[in-house]
Amino acid sequence: MAMSGTDLSRMRELNQLSVLWALRGNAPSTVTEIAGRTGLSRPAADVLVQQLVTDGWAEVEEPGASSTVGRPARRYRFRAGAGHVLGIDIGVHKILVMLCDLEGNLVQSLRRPADPRASPDERLASVDQTIDDVLREAGMAPADVWAVTVGVTGPVDERGRTSIATSLPGWREADPVAHLRARFTCPIQVENDCKLAAVAERWKGVAQDADDIVYLLAGLRTGAGLIIDGTLRRGYGGVAGEIGALKAVRWLNAPEHLATCPGVPSGAKPSEAAAWVFQAARDGDSAAKTAVQRYIRDLAIGVAALVLTLDPQIVVYGGGFSRSADLVLDPLRRELAKHCLRVPELRASTLSDEGVALGGLRLALDQVDNRLLSGQLAAPVAPQFS
Amino acid sequence: MAMSGTDLSRMRELNQLSVLWALRGNAPSTVTEIAGRTGLSRPAADVLVQQLVTDGWAEVEEPGASSTVGRPARRYRFRAGAGHVLGIDIGVHKILVMLCDLEGNLVQSLRRPADPRASPDERLASVDQTIDDVLREAGMAPADVWAVTVGVTGPVDERGRTSIATSLPGWREADPVAHLRARFTCPIQVENDCKLAAVAERWKGVAQDADDIVYLLAGLRTGAGLIIDGTLRRGYGGVAGEIGALKAVRWLNAPEHLATCPGVPSGAKPSEAAAWVFQAARDGDSAAKTAVQRYIRDLAIGVAALVLTLDPQIVVYGGGFSRSADLVLDPLRRELAKHCLRVPELRASTLSDEGVALGGLRLALDQVDNRLLSGQLAAPVAPQFS
DNA sequence: CTGAATAATGCTATGCACTTTACTAAATCT
DNA sequence: AGATTTAGTAAAGTGCATAGCATTATTCAG
């Protein structure tokens, strides 16, 4: 534990950040409110916030009609529009690009279908196109983007490669970071889709109140993302949560119970087949009910392994099958009770298929925050390089 | 993320702590060295360290014969003896009590055999006796102890109870915290033995260089302790790491392969049987080699589940069987390679059976540190209550 | 419409903690 | 004995936060 001494300038820096944090995420605030929130004196808060205004981090709102007695106060607001970040979901069937400001408000979002068999080059070209459209509609240039996070399937190493495995054809050789660096000078990171979806659930989803979360991606693929003590758990080699690789955990085969269920319309695509089975089970078809039951039983073993290892507060059931959570949650809870010492709360995701891009936005915002906390609080401009 | 403003007095407090940290764990230091280590100016370091001396946290060492040119410097040293902490291992077969000072130097250590069938009252009485002996031999009173950590088997809840399960007979009803509070007014915490052993490996064992560690307790019982991002992972309900509860993980039965190995001397106690099998395997006995192989194969499934979930840097092989690490490590590594995406480094523990008590010391010291960091830096006295 | 009450702003004086600089003290080396 | 090196100490300077007071802008009551 190395602590280093603090001096006056560092103290001012910390107080400046403290004021910035007090502004962000709150309605436009008077100096008195800021002073109260930060614990600083009013004069101190005053000069600090004025410095933020001249630096471009905050802006003044001159007093309008006041509803209370006394001299109406100037209000200051965080200039959320000073910078923006991108969250990009490169999926098998779709590409989703989201743009938000520094406060996390969604500014622009664009979705574009993708051919599951598209080559990496074609897919990246489509990503480029979508980014262009988003930026154009938002009236912004690449230099206005402060951080980019990309979500892809499969384990991601620290250089942003998915060389171990991925469902995107040819993607093991792809280098999305290098590709995007041609256009963006800001930090670019690539992350696994389950991990990003987990982050999104804690940010805007059903797990905002928890610090220890297992996110379960349930769909034609099965995967997991872990949040421990409030931070995303990547693992020493970036492959944390890949419990599905264990043969004793039948995650690879679990969705097959749905695909091979008797009665599935012939010629149906896998995703259609699964949807059909869930609906049939809802309608009382006994073969479908058995198939769902078997799926849940297999799914539960892997979830139990994660839960027993981590003892999380919440398990979030997300992914393509989360629309059928009404059929899954209760039986899954019963299965977990058989295996686990303590059954965590089970919740269904509500972010539909936007979780990955949303999580990307959150991670990009975290990147910006870290720069503010570590580096000095300079005027708001996009950081260079990654 | 709530940040609160800093003022001058808080700044001084931080700098004071910074100097304290710079003293602790280093040889007696001159003011110039302290200034260099903390980044403070020499006059600032001077007044701060002198304040620490008057408060009782540090002491002066007047200059003796100097070996270098120039005026010899006064040296200041952390007064490690200002306080002490206890680490207690309440095991099935033994009770081990360790006492160390604030710098973590072992002051006194005492071991006492325990009857596996002893009742909780008998066991606690033996603990009391051992504590008395340790304190007496160290010339200390209970009031000199600043924190106590106790290690027991089984999952521990936040109140220090092991109501779910434990190998200590009758212990599910025991309340060691309440018992010890009759004697100590300082904070007392109870923790699972595997978790403490994991902490010890990172402090004084073979995993000092790692932040992400899976500690494997391999013996007649099998268990695990997890360290993630450098901190002990307890889990939301305190049952993290209990992967052995999963039936698909054959940890409960794994040691039976050793007990039921043909050729084991009849009438041998389980621990003797295991030792015999390992030695026979070393000597080339093929039945014993098969038994060990089966044991490792079963063990590996649970380890693989932990490793796939967490992707740690290191797996430490500890517990009673760690003396046979020469037979286990290589085959275990090969088994893991079959299951895992990335095989972590595998190391054998060298702390023999002192890991639990050592980990207890470390956690007690952490408790003291946290008090220093959060509360103000008062004169060194034992904290009251927990 | 005028004056009192209220609440925010702006300014000045004060105090605190650290840094810089300069000077004195105590040892070794030539 | 004098030069050199390093430690300790004192004084001046800087930057920041706080406290208190005067000022300003608005509402409310008569």
Side-chain angles (χ1 to χ4, degrees):
Chain A
M1 179 145 28
M3 288 180 52
S4 70
T6 315
D7 68 345
L8 286 301
S9 62
R10 174 68 184 152
M11 175 169 121
R12 183 177 180 81
E13 213 172 281
L14 288 173
N15 284 347
Q16 191 110 353
L17 278 169
S18 167
V19 170
L20 196 62
W21 256 244
L23 282 177
R24 190 168 61 172
N26 286 102
S29 314
T30 69
V31 174
T32 315
E33 285 167 354
I34 295 168
R37 241 174 260 151
T38 56
L40 297 168
S41 67
R42 207 177 47 81
D46 189 61
V47 30
L48 287 170
V49 76
Q50 276 177 35
Q51 183 62 47
L52 287 176
V53 170
T54 64
D55 285 353
W57 287 106
E59 53 194 1
V60 195
E61 180 180 286
E62 287 302 336
S66 76
S67 56
T68 173
V69 70
R71 176 175 177 170
R74 256 202 288 275
R75 292 185 170 271
Y76 296 86
R77 107 165 57 88
F78 178 64
R79 216 159 73 77
H84 292 80
V85 301
L86 279 174
I88 304 176
D89 177 6
I90 305 184
V92 177
H93 296 283
K94 69 157 194 303
I95 284 156
L96 176 58
V97 174
M98 287 182 166
L99 178 79
C100 75
D101 63 23
L102 295 182
E103 229 164 1
N105 306 306
L106 194 63
V107 171
Q108 197 68 236
S109 165
L110 221 61
R111 171 194 309 263
R112 179 183 278 260
D115 183 343
R117 292 153 306 178
S119 72
D121 282 347
E122 292 168 325
R123 214 174 285 271
L124 284 172
S126 177
V127 169
D128 284 343
Q129 187 62 53
T130 319
I131 292 174
D132 284 343
D133 292 349
V134 162
L135 290 180
R136 186 164 33 73
E137 289 190 25
M140 241 166 264
D144 298 323
V145 176
W146 287 18
V148 180
T149 301
V150 180
V152 298
T153 70
V156 178
D157 66 22
E158 67 275 3
R159 297 212 319 282
R161 312 287 297 266
T162 44
S163 40
I164 298 179
T166 175
S167 335
L168 297 173
W171 202 259
R172 290 163 70 152
E173 321 299 331
D175 189 347
V177 173
H179 179 85
L180 287 171
R181 235 204 285 273
R183 174 191 305 252
F184 295 104
T185 52
C186 65
I188 298 161
Q189 70 184 312
V190 180
E191 192 48 272
N192 171 266
D193 52 356
C194 304
K195 295 190 170 70
L196 291 183
V199 169
E201 291 297 340
R202 189 172 127 87
W203 186 34
K204 303 216 159 179
V206 295
Q208 294 179 38
D209 55 329
D211 280 340
D212 299 306
I213 304 159
V214 166
Y215 173 86
L216 190 63
L217 181 96
L220 298 176
R221 287 178 307 114
T222 316
L226 313 175
I227 289 179
I228 300 177
D229 280 340
T231 53
L232 178 63
R233 171 71 198 166
R234 295 190 170 84
Y236 186 72
V239 296
E242 298 287 342
I243 188 75
L246 196 63
K247 281 138 213 151
V249 170
R250 306 187 54 79
W251 272 11
L252 261 179
N253 310 336
E256 276 183 20
H257 291 298
L258 304 175
T260 62
C261 173
V264 167
S266 62
K269 276 190 265 180
S271 60
E272 293 165 354
W276 183 91
V277 173
F278 281 121
Q279 190 52 49
R282 234 179 247 111
D283 296 340
D285 180 306
S286 73
K289 280 159 84 174
T290 309
V292 170
Q293 192 182 323
R294 287 192 179 144
Y295 166 72
I296 292 171
R297 207 185 47 208
D298 278 2
L299 187 69
I301 296 176
V303 180
L306 293 170
V307 167
L308 281 165
T309 302
L310 294 169
D311 188 22
Q313 181 182 352
I314 295 178
V315 172
V316 177
Y317 181 74
F321 292 177
S322 63
R323 266 168 305 176
S324 310
D326 58 314
L327 287 175
V328 173
L329 250 52
D330 284 330
L332 182 56
R333 191 176 296 118
R334 281 195 295 272
E335 283 292 318
L336 287 181
K338 289 185 201 166
H339 300 303
C340 299
L341 295 178
R342 194 189 69 81
V343 181
E345 206 179 325
L346 213 55
R347 297 182 190 167
S349 167
T350 54
L351 297 178
S352 69
D353 64 349
E354 299 188 325
V356 179
L358 275 174
L361 289 178
R362 181 62 262 175
L363 244 48
L365 288 173
D366 287 346
Q367 162 88 41
V368 171
D369 278 5
N370 282 333
R371 187 174 69 100
L372 292 184
L373 284 174
S374 60
Q376 57 279 33
L377 196 66
V381 288
Q384 301 298 300
F385 314 116
S386 70
Chain B
M1 182 146 25
M3 288 181 52
S4 71
T6 315
D7 68 344
L8 284 302
S9 62
R10 175 69 184 151
M11 178 168 118
R12 185 179 179 83
E13 213 173 280
L14 288 173
N15 284 343
Q16 191 111 351
L17 278 170
S18 166
V19 170
L20 196 63
W21 257 243
L23 282 177
R24 191 169 59 173
N26 285 103
S29 314
T30 68
V31 173
T32 314
E33 286 167 352
I34 295 168
R37 243 174 256 151
T38 56
L40 296 167
S41 69
R42 205 160 47 93
D46 191 60
V47 330
L48 286 170
V49 77
Q50 277 177 36
Q51 183 62 48
L52 287 175
V53 170
T54 64
D55 285 353
W57 288 106
E59 53 194 1
V60 196
E61 180 180 286
E62 287 301 336
S66 75
S67 56
T68 172
V69 69
R71 174 176 176 171
R74 257 203 289 273
R75 291 183 174 274
Y76 296 87
R77 108 165 57 89
F78 178 63
R79 216 158 74 78
H84 292 80
V85 301
L86 279 174
I88 303 177
D89 177 5
I90 304 183
V92 177
H93 295 281
K94 69 157 195 302
I95 283 156
L96 177 58
V97 174
M98 286 183 167
L99 179 78
C100 75
D101 64 22
L102 294 182
E103 229 165 3
N105 306 305
L106 195 62
V107 170
Q108 197 68 236
S109 166
L110 221 61
R111 173 194 308 264
R112 178 183 279 259
D115 182 344
R117 291 154 306 177
S119 72
D121 282 346
E122 292 167 327
R123 213 174 286 270
L124 283 172
S126 177
V127 169
D128 284 343
Q129 187 62 53
T130 320
I131 292 173
D132 284 343
D133 293 349
V134 162
L135 290 180
R136 188 166 30 75
E137 290 189 27
M140 241 164 262
D144 298 324
V145 176
W146 287 17
V148 179
T149 303
V150 179
V152 297
T153 69
V156 178
D157 67 21
E158 68 275 3
R159 295 212 322 281
R161 311 289 296 268
T162 44
S163 41
I164 298 179
T166 175
S167 335
L168 296 174
W171 202 258
R172 289 163 72 152
E173 320 300 331
D175 189 347
V177 173
H179 180 85
L180 288 170
R181 237 205 282 273
R183 172 190 307 252
F184 295 105
T185 52
C186 64
I188 297 161
Q189 70 184 314
V190 180
E191 193 48 272
N192 172 266
D193 53 355
C194 304
K195 294 190 171 68
L196 291 183
V199 169
E201 292 297 340
R202 188 172 128 87
W203 186 34
K204 302 216 159 177
V206 295
Q208 294 179 38
D209 55 327
D211 280 340
D212 298 305
I213 304 159
V214 166
Y215 173 85
L216 192 62
L217 181 96
L220 298 177
R221 289 179 306 115
T222 315
L226 314 175
I227 288 179
I228 300 178
D229 279 340
T231 53
L232 178 63
R233 170 71 197 165
R234 293 191 171 83
Y236 185 72
V239 296
E242 299 286 343
I243 188 77
L246 196 63
K247 282 137 212 153
V249 170
R250 306 187 54 77
W251 272 10
L252 260 179
N253 310 337
E256 276 184 21
H257 291 299
L258 304 175
T260 61
C261 172
V264 168
S266 64
K269 278 190 262 180
S271 61
E272 294 165 354
W276 183 91
V277 174
F278 281 122
Q279 189 51 49
R282 232 178 248 114
D283 295 340
D285 181 304
S286 74
K289 281 161 82 174
T290 309
V292 170
Q293 192 182 324
R294 286 190 182 147
Y295 166 71
I296 293 171
R297 205 185 47 208
D298 278 3
L299 188 69
I301 295 176
V303 180
L306 292 171
V307 167
L308 281 165
T309 302
L310 294 169
D311 188 23
Q313 181 182 352
I314 294 178
V315 172
V316 177
Y317 182 73
F321 292 176
S322 63
R323 270 169 303 177
S324 309
D326 58 314
L327 287 174
V328 174
L329 250 52
D330 283 331
L332 182 56
R333 192 175 295 116
R334 281 194 296 273
E335 282 292 318
L336 287 181
K338 289 185 202 164
H339 299 305
C340 300
L341 295 177
R342 193 189 70 79
V343 181
E345 206 179 325
L346 214 55
R347 297 182 191 168
S349 167
T350 54
L351 297 178
S352 69
D353 64 350
E354 299 189 325
V356 178
L358 275 174
L361 289 178
R362 181 63 262 174
L363 245 47
L365 288 172
D366 287 347
Q367 163 87 39
V368 171
D369 278 5
N370 281 334
R371 189 175 66 101
L372 291 185
L373 284 175
S374 59
Q376 56 279 34
L377 195 66
V381 288
Q384 300 299 299
F385 313 116
S386 68

